[in-house]
Amino acid sequence: MPSDRSQPRPRPPAGPAAQPPRAEGDAGAGPAGHALAPALWKLLQATAEALQAVQGGQSGTAALAAVAPGLRPGVQALLFQALRNLGRAQALRRQLAPRNPPPRIDALLCTALALAWNPDEAPYEPFTLVNQAVEAAKRNPATQAQSAFVNACLRRFLREREACVAATDGDPVARWNHPAWWIERLRKDHPQYWQQILQANNAHAPMTLRVSRQKSTPAQYLQALDAMNLEAKAVGADGIELGQPQPVQQLPGFADGVVSVQDAAAQQAAPLLLQGLDLSAPLRLLDACAAPGGKTAHLLEYQPPGAAWQVTALEIDPVRAERIHDTLQRLRLAPAQILVADAGRPDDWWARSGGEPFDAILLDAPCTASGIVRRHPDVRWLRRPTDIAQLATLQAQLLERLWPLVRPGGRLLYCTCSVFRAEGDAQVQAFLQRNTDAVAMPSPGHLIPGQADKAGAVPDNPAGDHDGFFYALFQKALA
């Protein structure tokens, strides 16, 4: 699902399209030829359709792709907020309409309730949202017959909001806006930090940049941002956390590859993998699940002038593999060998990669994405409990297939953007038991999403406000 880092959180009178909401008509020309924003009822109608698609099992990315381009920015902002409040909205809808309405009506009601239930965070005044949700029902032939029902439910909500909200406060799904099984899993996996993780998941993620080591430094880039009156701070070794999200086209040096957008947790992969290696040597490196290419690029940014590295990037999806090409081309980095192949089937690509052991392998394994829910709020509602075991099996298979390709004395960095222990600590312990030639090296383990790494113990985390992640570094014993 596309990140919402570039989307504003509109308050009246500014809406998702930077214009006041309009109850009637289509988007058109305003004074001096300026385009008017789409009518709010249109945005709510499209948001409800996208929410219905997600509830039906479709990804947010696909649901948004089906939205008309002129509506998409506003719908994305509203959909993200609706998904972050969906547990509360569903509980409120059950208070107002105990019998399940048809899916279209349910999605429209939940959209309006998710956006309006908390006036302090509502993108528009609650009464405006209710008026325009009713208008959305009237304007759609598929929901027109039930517009009076929508009106009755939402008007009652406006009258009885405090009582309705109080009646749902005891529901953990409404309180935390995550499925019940997800909440319970976090309670077991992180008994000290589960509340912090859930709170972070419902917050807006910051926009974090990675400064290319070959083109600038964080200190120099902070000066360039300061000259533009943009607030920012350095995080980690190469990162810059912006005070407010900005369109990438307006960032100094973005088009020339000076910076890339990459979360601070993800920026830890390249330095962890390369630490202790002789970077001037002719290294063979593998990024096993490489798309869209951010970590491959970060590895290449560490390559000293004149060093003869061979970097291979694998990606099973041909379309996503093209994104690696695009990333490296924009950053104007030394070329990498990009292969469309399944990392778990080395016989298909091993010879093409050179047929020699690797000095270092980065395995950013497929996972539940439970650590990046704030950027992809649909994930929590799409995942099922059985997904964890299925993905853990795949992760174990990838570790077993790739470990023989590491030279003695070389290393493998295993990482996932997950906070579930089955995809982190438990996976590592099982791997070490199966492979007696693997030595666990110092690494962060589970990174808790948010500002402080461990439940507020670090009041101003030097790594910044990062996503949830897991890292484990293994070194192969010398023969």
Side-chain angles (χ1 to χ4, degrees), residues 305-326:
W309 290 11
Q310 180 184 343
V311 178
T312 299
L314 297 180
E315 174 53 47
I316 194 170
D317 184 335
V319 176
R320 285 173 56 80
E322 283 299 316
R323 295 184 63 188
I324 306 174
H325 283 285
D326 296 341

Side-chain angles (χ1 to χ4, degrees), residues 84-433:
R84 290 192 177 105
N85 291 279
L86 184 57
R88 178 72 71 170
Q90 290 174 330
L92 289 170
R93 198 275 296 156
R94 288 192 294 271
Q95 289 282 323
L96 300 166
R99 294 181 62 182
N100 290 340
R104 282 181 183 271
I105 295 297
D106 183 54
L108 181 58
L109 285 172
C110 285
T111 295
L113 292 167
L115 298 174
W117 81 272
N118 184 351
D120 292 337
E121 297 182 359
Y124 301 96
E125 294 294 341
F127 74 87
T128 300
L129 287 165
V130 167
N131 287 341
Q132 293 298 286
V134 173
E135 187 70 20
K138 292 179 179 178
R139 297 276 189 148
N140 187 341
T143 58
Q144 188 176 47
Q146 293 178 292
S147 60
F149 171 74
V150 172
N151 183 63
C153 288
L154 294 181
R155 299 295 174 188
R156 178 188 166 195
F157 168 73
L158 288 180
R159 294 192 306 270
E160 305 174 14
R161 188 189 66 81
E162 290 188 8
C164 289
V165 170
T168 62
D169 280 341
D171 181 348
V173 176
R175 167 70 178 84
W176 296 109
N177 288 294
H178 285 69
W181 71 265
W182 192 301
I183 298 169
E184 185 58 28
R185 186 89 185 202
L186 287 180
R187 287 174 65 103
K188 292 180 179 178
D189 282 1
H190 301 280
Q192 291 180 279
Y193 312 128
W194 67 275
Q195 292 180 327
Q196 179 186 336
I197 294 171
L198 291 169
Q199 288 170 348
N201 287 353
N202 289 326
H204 286 248
M207 184 172 183
T208 305
L209 310 177
R210 186 189 74 245
V211 181
S212 172
R213 289 175 158 252
Q214 297 188 0
K215 296 181 174 66
S216 187
T217 67
Q220 291 170 341
Y221 200 75
L222 283 172
Q223 292 178 353
L225 293 175
D226 185 63
M228 298 175 63
N229 295 318
L230 295 178
E231 181 183 350
K233 66 177 182 178
V235 292
D238 302 314
I240 298 287
E241 185 180 305
L242 298 179
Q244 294 292 331
Q246 302 294 328
V248 293
Q249 298 84 357
Q250 297 181 17
L251 293 172
F254 181 84
D256 298 322
V258 177
V259 291
S260 301
V261 178
Q262 187 180 44
D263 181 73
Q267 290 186 36
Q268 298 190 33
L272 274 169
L273 183 67
L274 296 174
Q275 66 182 3
L277 294 178
D278 180 1
L279 302 189
S280 65
L283 298 177
R284 274 178 49 82
L285 307 177
L286 173 67
D287 187 348
C289 302
K295 296 182 181 68
T296 303
H298 200 188
L299 288 170
L300 288 167
E301 287 170 0
Y302 272 82
Q303 183 174 1
W309 290 11
Q310 180 184 343
V311 178
T312 299
L314 297 180
E315 174 53 47
I316 194 170
D317 184 335
V319 176
R320 285 173 56 80
E322 283 299 316
R323 295 184 63 188
I324 306 174
H325 283 285
D326 296 341
T327 296
L328 299 185
Q329 184 175 10
R330 181 184 69 82
L331 297 176
R332 303 174 189 178
L333 290 167
Q337 181 188 37
I338 302 172
L339 300 178
V340 178
D342 182 349
R345 301 180 61 178
D347 289 346
D348 294 346
W349 54 266
W350 171 245
R352 287 186 288 158
S353 74
E356 297 291 334
F358 290 97
D359 297 287
I361 294 178
L362 170 60
L363 173 56
D364 186 1
C367 69
T368 57
S370 58
I372 56 173
V373 172
R374 59 184 183 171
R375 298 185 190 276
H376 302 274
D378 58 330
V379 168
R380 71 189 87 179
W381 306 114
L382 293 172
R383 286 294 181 202
R384 299 293 179 264
T386 52
D387 292 344
I388 300 176
Q390 293 173 356
L391 285 161
T393 298
L394 174 59
Q395 293 152 11
Q397 291 173 347
L398 288 169
L399 282 166
E400 291 304 313
R401 303 285 170 77
L402 293 173
W403 184 243
L405 309 185
V406 179
R407 68 164 175 81
R411 70 270 307 273
L412 183 149
L413 180 64
Y414 168 75
C415 59
T416 63
C417 53
S418 175
V419 294
F420 294 141
R421 292 199 179 275
E423 302 179 281
D425 286 343
Q427 190 72 262
V428 166
Q429 297 307 314
F431 175 77
L432 290 171
Q433 289 179 0

